[in-house]
């Protein structure tokens, strides 16, 4: 016995963060093989007091095998892989890194919103392919003149709103309940879409948000409207989005996430009105390092352990 608090590592993270965990805790790596994982949990499950996780499913069954679990610390902002209801029922707090990555995701959101409204990808091709001498491109639309509806005004949504304020755009939002902010609130996402020129999706993926942005919402957004998704792919009904684009029911989309990523429908990949990114909202060296640090620090703070960096 090392005398250190035992934690379960169920995340493929940078070696720096693995080293930090190993220095402070008795770390047990959860095997990917189910039989090996069962054997490990049979042996040390009762010793585990914390979990460091990224995408591994933290199910009710797994939680039940860790009777002394005190904290689940997630490297990600999204925690749809965790049975949050059962964790809360057991009194087990969940820490995530949404407060760490909010600014970086908001930066990408603004870039995507400007890209799709100013037709920048096609402008790039217009110059690169030598077509500029043949004529100018059509005029585009000003993001600063739009009303942008943010679906989910959490850490990321609030950071997006802050950036929209700087460029003069009007912001409205929807969510489970109003917040103490000056932006107009819409209880219905459809009503938000009807009042907006662009929808920005930043809400978490939960059973009630799967296909939250459906054909009805896209129709309410209208033929001059845009949708930007930096949350999770299944929040938008991709089939409905493809149909809306095919019928010219919306003006364009900018997407960092997809329903079955990394597989993206051809209709989205080939539509010149769609700007695509490969789920890179938080993908900078600095942000990913800070996310890993936060995952480790949450465990350290819970158990009164000092991390020396």
């Amino acid at each position: 016995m090392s005398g250190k608090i035992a934690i379960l590592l169920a995340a493929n993270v940078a070696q720096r963060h693995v080293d930090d965990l190993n220095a402070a805790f008795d770390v047990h790596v959860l095997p990917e093989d189910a039989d090996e994982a069962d054997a490990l949990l049979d042996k040390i499950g009762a010793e585990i007091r914390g979990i460091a996780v990224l995408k591994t499913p933290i199910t009710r069954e797994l939680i039940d095998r860790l009777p002394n679990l005190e904290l689940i610390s997630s490297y990600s902002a999204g925690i749809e892989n965790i049975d949050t209801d059962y964790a809360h029922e057991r009194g087990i707090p969940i820490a995530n890194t949404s407060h760490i990555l909010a600014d970086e995701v908001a930066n990408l959101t603004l870039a995507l919103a400007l890209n799709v409204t100013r037709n920048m990808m096609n402008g790039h091709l217009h110059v690169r392919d030598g077509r500029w001498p043949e004529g100018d491109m059509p005029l585009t639309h000003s993001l600063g003149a739009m009303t942008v509806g943010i679906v989910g005004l959490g850490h990321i949504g609030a950071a997006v709103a802050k950036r929209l304020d700087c460029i003069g755009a009007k912001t409205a939002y929807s969510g489970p309940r109003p917040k103490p902010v000056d932006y107009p609130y819409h209880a219905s996402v459809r009503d938000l879409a009807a009042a907006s020129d662009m929808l920005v999706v930043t809400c978490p993926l939960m059973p009630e948000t799967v296909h939250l942005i459906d054909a009805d919402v896209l129709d309410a957004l209208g033929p001059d409207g845009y949708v930007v998704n930096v949350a999770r792919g299944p929040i938008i009904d991709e089939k409905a989005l493809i149909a809306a684009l095919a019928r010219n029911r919306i003006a364009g989309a900018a997407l960092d996430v997809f329903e079955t990523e990394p597989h993206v429908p051809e209709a989205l990949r080939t539509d010149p009105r769609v700007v695509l990114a490969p789920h890179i909202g938080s993908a900078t060296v600095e942000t990913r390092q800070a996310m890993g640090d936060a995952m480790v620090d949450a465990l350290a703070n819970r158990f009164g352990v000092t991390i020396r960096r």
Side-chain angles (χ1 to χ4, degrees):
M1 297 291 292
S2 67
K4 297 178 180 178
I5 290 168
I7 68 164
L8 191 66
L9 178 57
N12 182 15
V13 295
Q15 189 60 45
R16 162 192 170 136
H17 301 119
V18 174
D19 292 343
D20 284 348
L21 290 170
N22 280 322
F25 298 99
D26 178 19
V27 179
H28 300 269
V29 178
L30 183 68
E32 293 185 8
D33 179 82
D35 291 337
E36 293 178 11
D38 280 341
L40 176 69
L41 295 172
D42 284 342
K43 183 178 179 182
I44 53 87
E47 300 173 22
I48 297 297
R49 294 174 63 189
I51 299 178
V53 64
L54 177 53
K55 296 180 179 179
T56 302
I58 306 300
T59 62
R60 182 189 187 104
E61 291 73 24
L62 176 58
I63 293 171
D64 276 341
R65 300 187 71 176
L66 308 173
N68 294 304
L69 184 63
E70 296 180 38
L71 177 68
I72 301 169
S73 184
S74 174
Y75 179 93
S76 174
I79 53 175
E80 63 272 9
N81 56 309
I82 301 171
D83 189 333
T84 55
D85 289 341
Y86 189 58
H88 293 153
E89 182 182 323
R90 281 272 307 270
I92 302 166
I94 301 169
N96 74 349
T97 57
S98 59
H99 60 296
I100 299 294
L101 56 77
D103 282 335
E104 204 63 69
V105 176
N107 289 341
L108 182 72
T109 304
L110 186 61
L112 289 171
L114 287 168
N115 217 314
V116 72
T117 54
R118 296 300 306 275
N119 203 16
M120 292 172 67
M121 294 296 292
N122 292 308
H124 167 78
L125 296 173
H126 192 71
V127 176
R128 192 187 68 179
D129 295 345
R131 289 183 273 122
W132 192 5
E134 300 170 10
D136 294 334
M137 292 185 61
L139 296 179
T140 57
H141 295 280
S142 172
L143 182 60
M146 294 183 178
T147 296
V148 180
I150 299 177
V151 183
L153 199 70
H155 288 294
I156 295 170
V160 171
K162 182 178 178 181
R163 285 152 178 77
L164 292 170
D165 288 344
C166 291
I167 64 171
K170 296 177 182 178
T171 298
Y173 73 103
S174 67
R177 63 194 65 84
K179 297 200 171 189
V181 296
D182 292 332
Y183 307 123
Y185 171 73
H186 297 266
S188 159
V189 176
R190 190 191 186 285
D191 289 347
L192 178 68
S196 300
D197 304 296
M198 172 183 286
L199 281 185
V200 173
V201 182
T202 60
C203 63
L205 176 61
M206 301 181 289
E208 57 266 37
T209 63
V210 172
H211 288 184
L212 179 65
I213 311 303
D214 58 11
D216 192 38
V217 171
L218 294 172
D219 280 345
L221 184 59
D224 296 322
Y226 299 87
V227 62
V228 178
N229 189 7
V230 293
R232 289 291 188 266
I235 297 171
I236 293 182
D237 181 342
E238 260 179 22
K239 290 182 179 178
L241 174 60
I242 291 168
L245 288 163
R247 301 192 329 265
N248 295 316
R249 292 298 301 151
I250 64 169
L255 309 170
D256 184 46
V257 289
F258 306 88
E259 283 208 62
T260 57
E261 59 188 50
H263 305 289
V264 178
E266 182 179 7
L268 295 177
R269 289 188 286 107
T270 58
D271 193 317
R273 299 164 296 174
V274 179
V275 177
L276 308 170
H279 202 154
I280 55 172
S282 66
T284 67
V285 171
E286 296 80 5
T287 300
R288 291 290 172 86
Q289 181 171 300
M291 289 167 64
D293 288 348
M295 177 193 71
V296 174
D297 290 345
L299 289 161
N301 292 338
R302 174 72 182 187
F303 299 112
V305 175
T306 299
I307 303 296
R308 305 186 188 280
R309 296 191 175 102

